[in-house]
Amino acid sequence: MKRLKINFAAGEEQQDLDLALRSIAEGKIDIALWLGGRIGLTGVEEALNKMSSASAPVRTVVDPRRM
């Protein structure tokens, strides 16, 4: 049995979110290193199975538009 913990941030000020998103959009902040990968729905099971591996990415984006 594995535990899955999902955390969401809360309490951000709108102006902070606006600044962060604008900085990302303008290329001032590169978020590529923050993401372990981008997968479609068919890759979810495999990604979950690999989560316990030391080489597993910290974050993976699931894009439901991708298969």
Side-chain angles (χ1 to χ4, degrees):
M1 176 179 270
K2 292 184 181 180
R3 294 181 187 193
L4 176 64
K5 182 176 182 181
I6 300 174
N7 294 314
F8 295 96
E12 299 86 3
E13 296 291 328
Q14 186 61 47
Q15 67 267 17
D16 295 333
L17 294 174
D18 292 342
L19 175 61
L21 291 174
R22 190 170 45 254
S23 297
I24 292 168
E26 293 172 356
K28 295 177 183 174
I29 298 174
D30 180 12
I31 63 168
L33 297 175
W34 298 356
L35 303 175
R38 189 175 298 265
I39 61 173
L41 293 175
T42 58
V44 172
E45 182 178 5
E46 181 180 351
L48 288 172
N49 290 334
K50 291 181 177 180
M51 278 186 167
S52 63
S53 167
S55 62
V58 174
R59 293 175 186 88
T60 299
V61 174
V62 179
D63 186 345
R65 298 170 295 182
R66 299 173 90 177
M67 292 305 289

